[in-house]
Amino acid sequence: MLKELASAAPRDCEDCPIRHRAVCARCESDELERLDQIKYYRSFEAGQTLIWSGDKMDFVGSVVSGIATLTQTMEDGRTQMVGLLLPSDFVGRPGRDSAAYDVVAVSDIVMCCFRKKPFEDMMARTPHIAQRLLEMTLDELDAAREWMLVLGRKTAREKIASLIAIIARRDAVLNTAGMQGPLVFDLPLTREAMADYLGLTLETVSRQVSALRRDGVIMLEGKRRVTVPDFNRLLEEAGDDSDGGLLV
Amino acid sequence: MLKELASAAPRDCEDCPIRHRAVCARCESDELERLDQIKYYRSFEAGQTLIWSGDKMDFVGSVVSGIATLTQTMEDGRTQMVGLLLPSDFVGRPGRDSAAYDVVAVSDIVMCCFRKKPFEDMMARTPHIAQRLLEMTLDELDAAREWMLVLGRKTAREKIASLIAIIARRDAVLNTAGMQGPLVFDLPLTREAMADYLGLTLETVSRQVSALRRDGVIMLEGKRRVTVPDFNRLLEEAGDDSDGGLLV
DNA sequence: TGTAATCCTTGACGCAGATCAATTCACGGG
DNA sequence: CCCGTGAATTGATCTGCGTCAAGGATTACA
């Protein structure tokens, strides 16, 4: 296992892969320098719980690479994923000192962290940071509301199609520029994590993935690699308007 | 019908009932004066749709009095409420020019509005406004995530108990200071709106409300007035930890 | 090469909540 | 006072998804 890779962190903010999408996106070079002085990197292995709900949070930070989940758990063990953290996403909340959710690494992860207090001070003095954080929070709120429609009103098949569409769309944005032709990508989540995301059981997830494959909506290579021959068909299955309706 | 009451708006920001909780909460008196110059009041009757999803939004604003809902609708008519707007809540998103959701007045409503462009300009120059909006947006995000757990993992009975608990708690904060003794309040929503909130049908809502009444968890006077004799019992029924677990 | 651990798939069955349908209740207007 | 209208209740039935259970695929390590 190549653990060294997981801790490969950018030396310099200017080379940082999330430079133009994270909280620091709007910072000028002098602001960036000040941030640079208080930042530090941390890396985590796949499967590790970075933060436990209720724990004292003495830092905030951005995901540089890798994927993590935000989940909520009930006393009896039922769990619901409430956020999916991708590179550039922000973790922690200025002004709160204990974590509200569990944060779990799905893959190996590198984070760019700031101790909370210095970051809060810096935020008060640097409107560019607060502005960007507001923008990102509003985007997350929109995503959460989209997700509420999925959880509250969609059928199991529509839920699966919606999730695959979200992953496909994100992948298309990050990698290939256009969305023409068949999309090919890996599902970053296990069936169980998909179930936690969608408010289903892993058996139902498995059945519906199989059903979409049988019906030609997706093709599978192994258990994770997906090909979507016709994205509009997938959107129809998701119950979404085939063109509009996407806030991302 | 007393329509004049609906348009009773405060003359002066200092007398405004939401002065210390809305976007303007942190503003100094000079900032308030500038806001004062660009604000205007609008009132709407119960049942009216204030904003249609997809419409051009040329204003943003705060709910001064009354209740409204944010809902999302699928092509086939399925709807999911994604937000409940109470006095002091903010409507609209700086930086976006079309509405993402339908906004519907549940009761008669008064709003304090700002044309979008001047408000955005003002926000760029007034960190106090942006800071407060960030804080409010983070709170809404937390509420949305709480709600995702309700939608994804709770049973119909737990959903109803959760909703009643939320309304009871909010009512207790606004009106009676303490939470000792039985709580009495009105449900602001119809059974159908409750169903839209919780991802259920109105029949199921009705049945579960009746069941909670039969089991002595709540008492009903007419269809709307609720008494909660034991709040912890209600929280147990909601599947929540009986003390912690509340982010509000 | 075996075997243990994960992760996934598939089947059989039951139940919570949706759907369809019929009343009942509350209230405002003629 | 009656009647009309929209909201809520309640019942009967149906079904999608959860639950329980058995096995298959892939990888890691002895």
Side-chain angles (χ1 to χ4, degrees), chain A residues 81 189-197 200-202 205, chain B residues 153:
Chain A
M81 197 187 297
L189 303 175
T190 65
R191 299 289 186 264
E192 186 177 21
M194 292 171 69
D196 278 351
Y197 189 105
L200 297 170
T201 59
L202 85 172
V205 170
Chain B
R153 293 301 182 192

Side-chain angles (χ1 to χ4, degrees), chain B residues 199-218:
Chain B
L200 297 170
T201 59
L202 83 172
E203 293 95 328
T204 299
V205 170
S206 182
R207 272 186 255 271
Q208 297 298 337
V209 169
S210 299
L212 288 175
R213 178 172 48 69
R214 254 199 314 280
D215 298 346
V217 181
I218 58 173

Side-chain angles (χ1 to χ4, degrees), chain A residues 13-234:
Chain A
C13 287
E14 291 300 345
D15 301 336
C16 181
I18 59 169
R19 166 71 180 92
H20 299 288
R21 287 185 297 140
V23 256
C24 51
R26 301 260 193 87
C27 289
E28 311 288 349
S29 54
D30 58 322
E31 296 166 334
L32 214 54
E33 243 168 76
R34 268 180 292 153
L35 270 182
D36 199 22
Q37 283 162 20
I38 62 170
K39 80 166 196 252
Y40 59 97
Y41 292 101
R42 293 183 66 178
S43 35
F44 303 90
E45 282 174 58
Q48 249 189 303
T49 296
L50 320 198
I51 299 160
W52 296 90
S53 170
D55 274 9
K56 186 150 172 300
M57 279 284 287
D58 45 7
F59 71 95
V60 297
S62 301
V63 177
V64 177
S65 64
I67 299 183
T69 60
L70 276 185
T71 57
Q72 237 176 341
T73 306
M74 293 172 66
E75 298 138 86
D76 62 7
R78 282 176 280 176
T79 77
Q80 174 66 53
M81 197 187 297
V82 296
L84 190 55
L85 298 171
L86 305 173
S88 85
D89 283 338
F90 190 78
V91 179
R93 169 174 173 163
R96 166 179 300 155
D97 38 38
S98 69
Y101 314 102
D102 293 332
V103 183
V104 181
V106 169
S107 64
D108 288 356
I109 280 206
V110 179
M111 288 198 49
C112 173
C113 302
F114 308 95
R115 273 177 305 117
K116 197 158 68 76
K117 189 68 175 57
F119 183 83
E120 283 168 2
D121 294 344
M122 175 110 190
M123 215 175 74
R125 286 180 292 113
T126 318
H128 282 161
I129 296 178
Q131 280 165 17
R132 176 65 188 145
L133 189 56
L134 173 58
E135 199 172 55
M136 291 172 71
T137 307
L138 285 165
D139 285 341
E140 270 189 274
L141 185 56
D142 279 334
R145 286 173 167 166
E146 188 82 27
W147 198 338
M148 283 170 53
L149 176 66
V150 172
L151 288 173
R153 293 302 183 190
K154 292 195 178 180
T155 64
R157 168 183 264 245
E158 290 169 334
K159 285 178 176 182
I160 297 292
S162 299
L163 176 56
I164 295 177
I166 288 171
I167 295 171
R169 193 180 288 138
R170 170 175 57 72
D171 192 83
V173 169
L174 288 183
N175 301 332
T176 66
M179 300 241 302
Q180 269 62 282
L183 301 167
V184 184
F185 54 91
D186 281 323
L187 295 175
L189 303 175
T190 65
R191 299 289 186 264
E192 186 177 21
M194 292 171 69
D196 278 351
Y197 189 105
L198 297 168
L200 297 170
T201 59
L202 85 172
E203 294 94 326
T204 299
V205 170
S206 182
R207 272 187 255 272
Q208 297 298 337
V209 169
S210 298
L212 289 176
R213 179 172 46 69
R214 256 199 313 282
D215 299 344
V217 181
I218 58 173
M219 287 166 330
L220 282 176
E221 201 180 319
K223 298 173 188 279
R224 296 296 192 87
R225 176 142 288 242
V226 176
T227 303
V228 178
D230 178 355
F231 193 68
N232 282 330
R233 171 78 196 284
L234 181 63

